[in-house]
DNA sequence: CTAGCCTTGATG
DNA sequence: CATCAAGGCTAG
């Protein structure tokens, strides 16, 4: 018998109780996800962050359980900030479409007689853009109901992700004269920081999930056209972008670790002012390191010559930094506070009260942008597109392969348009609204750079840092 | 904390 | 008025 319609929770394999936070899950994972998001829980894994999650062991490691919730596509946005009860959310239409698709599939299966052992009946020749072996295999996998396969997405992904980063060495011939600077050091081809390698596994798994790699149910993706709640038929480009994402939790723990290291015995506070402010610069510096690392490993970008890569990065690092910070607030933040990449929460009034006018406007504009993102219901997929639109900026001068940059930018535009039309059919001008948001973000970025320059932080942080270099590179080139 | 059951309230 | 996915409650 076909397993495609067995309603099994994609997180733990328990019986599904309905649609919860974007997809069909069981009651317990629903509750777990809600508690975690509502209460800003943060867990740690006692093992190696790859615990098996099934019905009997799901209580054992909340860290891995939550990771799996995200990986299979449960949506943070569906947890209401205002805790309002009842009613419907924007996923309603999506649930409805998904139900219709399931029904169609059933009808199709029955019209072919009841012999439904193999999913070939519903495979569609029109949809074969999946160039990733681990994705295509999981979608046709037929022995998923066992425990071992529930983790197949993460284990099988490591192989593809490792060569993903190994291919980087191809670019190394270009890097020779950049060694002396921090950005050069990131480019120096020295072993990729462990976070990136470790994150790659989780990243590929997340992408597999986004591409319909939910192990249990085989074929929502085949009825292409629009996107199922399981996130199946995303534009091909978007799937590739998602594969390039670093894992937030991995980066978070690496940055936290490194900052604690630097903090040393001093015991600086996390507030604003004094050592806290210094720590913020160090944190931004670390974030930039990962931003560059991400760009460097990203599809298309890594095809560019290193000199072009550096020109683009010099131009957009602050946009990417601002986007990273803003989107973190959109996802996890609360009114009146700032969530740091380390997961810590800073009280905004404590930042603003002693601040100068420039920082005040910066915080205010930032808040406005976060509100704008929220009102627009900007989702993770759109943010990923933003990152590539920011990266492939056709305004950057003296880029050798300008036509490539233009080409990619156009493709991203198309993918984003296609995505918004399909994922938010009720919201026809979402694409245009998003582009407006993006220009607001650029304005915020400019303001941020001005602020950083005005602080002349070179004395505040160790001189060998990326933040300083990028600030000055921009200054010198303009 | 967990997870089963309960209450709410917009949607059709 | 029925549905059903949100949030709430509470024993274990």
């Amino acid at each position: 018998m076909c397993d495609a319609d067995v309603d099994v929770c994609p997180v733990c394999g328990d019986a599904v109780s309905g649609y919860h936070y974007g997809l069909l899950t069981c009651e317990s994972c629903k509750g777990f996800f809600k508690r975690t998001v509502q209460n800003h829980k943060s867990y740690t894994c006692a093992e190696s962050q790859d615990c098996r999650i099934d019905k009997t062991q799901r209580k054992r490691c909340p860290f891995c359980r939550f990771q799996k919730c995200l990986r299979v596509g449960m949506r943070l946005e569906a947890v209401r900030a205002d805790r309002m009860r009842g009613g419907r959310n924007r996923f309603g239409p999506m649930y409805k479409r998904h139900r219709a698709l399931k029904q169609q599939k059933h009808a199709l299966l029955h019209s072919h007689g009841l012999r439904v052992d193999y999913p070939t009946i519903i495979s569609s020749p029109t949809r074969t853009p999946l160039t990733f072996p681990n994705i295509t295999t999981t979608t046709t996998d037929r022995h998923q109901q066992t425990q071992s396969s529930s983790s197949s997405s993460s284990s099988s992904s490591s192989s593809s992700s490792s060569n993903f980063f190994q291919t980087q060495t191809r670019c190394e011939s270009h890097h020779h004269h950049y060694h002396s600077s921090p950005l050069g050091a990131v480019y120096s081809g020295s072993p990729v920081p462990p976070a990136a390698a470790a994150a790659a596994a989780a990243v590929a798994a997340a992408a597999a999930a986004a591409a319909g790699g939910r192990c249990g149910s085989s074929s929502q993706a085949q009825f292409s056209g629009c996107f199922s709640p399981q996130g199946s038929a995303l534009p091909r480009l978007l799937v590739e972008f998602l594969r390039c994402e670093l894992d937030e939790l991995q980066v978070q723990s690496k940055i936290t670790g490194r900052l604690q290291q630097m903090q040393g015995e001093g015991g600086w506070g996390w507030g604003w002012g004094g050592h806290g402010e210094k720590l913020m610069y160090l944190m931004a510096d670390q974030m930039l390191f990962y931003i560059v690392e991400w760009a460097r490993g990203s599809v298309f970008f890594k095809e560019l010559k290193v000199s072009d890569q550096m020109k683009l990065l010099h131009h957009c690092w602050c946009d990417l930094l601002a986007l990273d910070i803003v989107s973190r607030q959109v996802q996890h933040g609360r009114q009146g506070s700032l969530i740091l990449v380390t997961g810590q929460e800073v009280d905004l009034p404590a930042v603003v009260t002693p601040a100068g006018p420039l920082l005040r406007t910066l915080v205010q504009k930032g808040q406005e942008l976060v509100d704008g993102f929220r009102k627009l219901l900007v989702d993770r997929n759109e943010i990923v597109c933003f990152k590539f639109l920011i990266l492939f900026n056709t305004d950057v001068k003296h880029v050798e392969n300008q036509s490539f940059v233009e080409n990619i930018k156009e493709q991203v535009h198309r993918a984003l348009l296609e995505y918004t039309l399909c994922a938010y059919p009720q919201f026809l001008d979402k694409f245009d609204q998003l582009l407006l948001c993006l220009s607001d973000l650029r304005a915020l970025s400019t303001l941020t750079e001005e602020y950083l320059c005005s602080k002349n932080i070179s004395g505040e942080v160790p001189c060998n840092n990326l933040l300083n270099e990028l600030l000055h590179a921009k200054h010198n080139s303009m």
Side-chain angles (χ1 to χ4, degrees):
Chain A
M1 47 151 254
C2 186
D3 52 33
D5 281 322
V6 176
D7 282 334
V8 160
C9 174
V11 179
C12 71
D14 202 350
V16 156
S17 72
Y19 288 92
H20 304 294
Y21 309 108
L23 37 65
L24 288 165
T25 75
C26 70
E27 194 66 19
S28 70
C29 289
K30 166 201 158 190
F32 170 76
F33 190 76
K34 181 186 71 177
R35 288 192 299 275
T36 302
V37 179
Q38 275 185 340
N39 305 325
H40 298 99
K41 291 273 165 54
S42 71
Y43 311 111
T44 49
C45 175
E47 303 289 322
S48 45
Q49 310 196 333
D50 59 353
C51 303
R52 265 188 192 58
I53 304 298
D54 58 37
K55 188 179 174 181
T56 57
Q57 299 191 68
R58 65 192 176 199
K59 287 193 221 177
R60 290 248 285 231
C61 182
F63 177 91
C64 290
R65 188 183 189 181
F66 187 58
Q67 278 221 315
K68 192 161 181 191
C69 286
L70 295 173
R71 197 164 73 221
V72 301
M74 290 183 79
R75 312 296 294 255
L76 295 162
E77 319 90 276
V79 178
R80 297 171 185 168
D82 57 6
R83 301 203 161 195
M84 194 194 302
R85 306 170 74 186
R88 292 286 141 89
N89 62 13
R90 71 185 171 87
F91 294 110
M94 189 170 73
Y95 297 148
K96 201 175 152 192
R97 265 182 290 143
H98 185 247
R99 252 190 278 268
L101 289 178
K102 278 182 68 168
Q103 210 159 22
Q104 267 184 52
K105 193 166 74 184
H106 244 102
L108 197 56
L109 288 172
H110 283 290
S111 73
H112 280 255
L114 290 171
R115 198 190 163 285
V116 291
D117 289 320
Y118 299 98
T120 50
I121 296 165
I122 19 172
S123 71
S124 152
T126 60
R127 235 196 128 81
T128 51
L130 300 175
T131 52
F132 315 114
N134 57 326
I135 292 173
T136 39
T137 53
T138 52
T139 48
T140 50
D141 225 2
R142 277 182 289 106
H143 56 276
Q144 308 91 338
Q145 300 310 331
T146 64
Q147 262 101 308
S148 64
S149 64
S150 70
S151 63
S152 67
S153 56
S154 52
S155 56
S156 67
S157 60
S158 55
S159 57
S160 68
S161 54
S162 57
N163 70 18
F164 174 70
F165 275 87
Q166 277 156 16
T167 57
Q168 283 302 306
T169 50
R170 204 165 25 77
C171 301
E172 285 173 24
S173 55
H174 300 284
H175 74 253
H176 44 277
H177 47 169
Y178 297 113
H179 270 278
S180 53
S181 71
L183 183 54
V186 180
Y187 267 90
S188 70
S190 56
V192 171
V203 168
R214 175 190 161 191
C215 303
S217 111
S218 59
S219 52
Q220 284 93 337
Q222 319 306 346
F223 293 93
S224 65
C226 275
F227 313 124
S228 78
Q230 322 300 141
S232 294
L234 295 173
R236 190 177 56 90
L237 209 60
L238 195 36
V239 173
E240 298 199 31
F241 290 168
L242 289 167
R243 281 178 62 82
C244 301
E245 286 295 280
L246 299 180
D247 180 62
E248 162 96 6
L249 290 171
Q250 299 274 1
V251 172
Q252 172 180 323
S253 71
K254 291 292 164 188
I255 291 184
T256 306
R258 213 166 295 182
L259 287 174
Q260 278 168 354
Q261 219 172 13
M262 287 190 261
Q263 204 171 347
E265 73 295 331
W268 304 339
W270 281 99
W272 200 260
H275 288 310
E277 190 169 352
K278 185 169 173 178
L279 218 42
M280 296 295 159
Y281 298 134
L282 290 171
M283 193 182 302
D285 189 48
Q286 291 296 311
M287 290 166 78
L288 285 171
F289 178 85
Y290 283 101
I291 285 172
V292 172
E293 201 53 58
W294 159 80
R296 199 185 154 221
S298 286
V299 64
F300 302 131
F301 192 77
K302 64 182 175 188
E303 306 303 327
L304 285 165
K305 286 179 67 173
V306 169
S307 54
D308 278 352
Q309 292 186 6
M310 293 185 84
K311 281 181 194 120
L312 292 175
L313 278 173
H314 275 147
H315 198 275
C316 73
W317 63 272
C318 198
D319 295 1
L320 290 170
L321 186 63
L323 177 63
D324 189 72
I325 294 168
V326 166
S327 56
R328 185 166 299 107
Q329 312 315 311
V330 173
Q331 284 198 325
H332 310 289
R334 284 192 300 199
Q335 204 64 251
S337 70
L338 182 73
I339 303 288
L340 306 177
V341 65
T342 54
Q344 285 152 308
E345 199 167 350
V346 170
D347 198 33
L348 269 181
V351 174
V352 172
T353 311
L358 202 52
L359 183 57
R360 276 172 198 246
T361 24
L362 197 54
V363 169
Q364 190 206 327
K365 296 281 177 194
Q367 284 292 96
E368 285 170 14
L369 195 57
V370 170
D371 290 343
F373 270 52
R374 287 225 175 94
K375 279 195 192 116
L376 249 188
L377 303 172
V378 180
D379 69 27
R380 180 169 129 267
N381 296 324
E382 290 154 349
I383 285 173
V384 169
C385 287
F386 275 2
K387 291 168 75 169
F388 280 85
L389 285 177
I390 289 171
L391 205 49
F392 288 87
N393 187 335
T394 47
D395 296 334
V396 181
K397 303 295 172 207
H398 313 301
V399 172
E400 282 182 54
N401 207 342
Q402 182 77 23
S403 60
F404 182 74
V405 175
E406 276 165 24
N407 183 342
I408 300 302
K409 187 184 125 175
E410 281 311 306
Q411 285 194 50
V412 184
H413 266 137
R414 271 198 296 277
L416 182 58
L417 178 60
E418 185 191 335
Y419 173 74
T420 53
L421 287 178
C422 235
Y424 303 90
Q426 257 70 315
F427 192 174
L428 285 176
D429 68 338
K430 186 168 192 191
F431 176 74
D432 295 321
Q433 299 288 332
L434 286 174
L435 292 189
L436 290 176
C437 253
L438 191 55
S439 66
D440 287 345
L441 179 82
R442 291 209 163 99
L444 181 71
S445 164
T446 308
L447 211 59
T448 305
E449 257 181 272
E450 279 170 25
Y451 173 71
L452 290 173
C453 280
S454 79
K455 295 297 287 188
N456 190 18
I457 59 170
S458 29
E460 301 264 4
V461 282
C463 55
N464 186 29
N465 76 82
L466 199 50
L467 180 56
N468 251 336
E469 177 189 330
L470 291 169
L471 268 176
H472 290 127
K474 183 82 165 268
H475 246 55
N476 297 337
S477 69
M478 287 172 53

